[in-house]
């Protein structure tokens, strides 16, 4: 029994290893893809569309969804949804600064959120306070 195991093991060790270099991440190419994503997000603001998806983003920058996802994950440390929501929250905060009289639900819709609960959760995660608290601090002039 032991002899059979060692024979099989010796046969396996003689086989050449497959080239697995394609599994390695090329940091330079991931950075280039991420730079294209950042440029698109800042210039075109596609995140304002509430139906914005990773497939729309990948089509816009002519990359596969997996490459786009990997670039966002590695370079920002966030998944696609959190990455997009961070842009939306920043935009919502700017809207609140410009016009303090807007309703929070209106700001959420304008920033690309479908409904209020995901907006509240994303806002609190990023800004460390609820949208209503942020708005009251703006009104008091403390921000």
């Amino acid at each position: 029994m032991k002899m059979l195991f060692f024979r099989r093991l010796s046969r396996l060790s003689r086989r050449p290893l497959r080239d697995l270099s394609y599994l390695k991440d090329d940091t330079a190419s991931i950075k280039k893809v991420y730079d294209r994503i950042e440029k698109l997000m800042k210039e075109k603001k596609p995140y304002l569309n509430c139906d914005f998806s990773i497939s729309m983003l990948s089509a816009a920058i002519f990359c596969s969804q997996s490459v786009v996802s990997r670039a966002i994950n590695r370079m920002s440390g966030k998944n696609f949804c959190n990455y997009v929501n961070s842009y939306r929250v920043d935009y919502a905060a700017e809207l609140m600064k410009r016009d303090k009289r807007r309703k929070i639900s209106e700001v959420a819709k304008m920033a690309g959120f479908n409904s209020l609960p995901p907006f509240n959760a994303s806002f609190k995660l990023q800004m460390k306070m609820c949208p209503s608290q942020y708005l009251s601090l703006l009104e008091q002039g403390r921000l």
Side-chain angles (χ1 to χ4, degrees):
M1 184 80 151
K2 286 183 183 179
M3 194 58 147
L4 182 61
F5 172 76
F6 287 115
R7 245 188 252 159
R8 286 186 181 165
L9 184 63
S10 67
R11 276 190 227 144
L12 286 174
S13 63
R14 282 185 247 151
R15 291 183 185 164
L17 292 174
R18 281 191 245 159
D19 179 26
L20 300 177
S21 60
Y22 68 93
L23 293 175
K24 294 179 184 174
D25 286 330
D26 181 12
T27 306
S29 63
I30 286 177
K31 174 86 171 100
K32 286 179 187 175
V33 170
Y34 187 72
D35 289 343
R36 286 174 28 210
I37 293 167
E38 285 285 294
K39 182 179 178 186
L40 179 82
M41 295 295 275
K42 290 176 182 167
E43 290 177 3
K44 305 280 185 192
K45 298 181 189 218
Y47 53 87
L48 297 178
N49 175 358
C50 63
D51 296 323
F52 184 59
S53 66
I54 195 164
S55 61
M56 294 169 124
L57 178 59
S58 63
I61 64 163
F62 305 105
C63 282
S64 70
Q65 291 180 26
S66 62
V67 169
V68 169
S69 178
R70 187 176 307 121
I72 290 171
N73 292 346
R74 295 276 159 74
M75 300 306 291
S76 73
K78 301 173 184 174
N79 64 27
F80 175 76
C81 288
N82 290 340
Y83 176 75
V84 171
N85 286 344
S86 69
Y87 272 97
R88 290 174 173 165
V89 167
D90 288 341
Y91 186 78
E94 283 301 314
L95 287 175
M96 288 181 192
K97 283 180 186 175
R98 278 190 253 142
D99 186 4
K100 297 171 186 84
R101 293 172 287 142
R102 278 206 170 113
K103 292 181 181 178
I104 292 174
S105 59
E106 184 182 351
V107 170
K109 291 278 185 202
M110 290 174 72
F113 286 93
N114 282 323
S115 62
L116 209 50
F119 171 68
N120 287 335
S122 294
F123 197 95
K124 192 169 186 175
L125 181 70
Q126 185 169 330
M127 304 297 275
K128 309 297 185 226
M129 64 180 84
C130 298
S132 56
Q133 291 171 322
Y134 182 80
L135 199 52
S136 71
L137 288 174
L138 280 174
E139 288 169 350
Q140 295 170 9
R142 294 172 62 193
L143 282 180

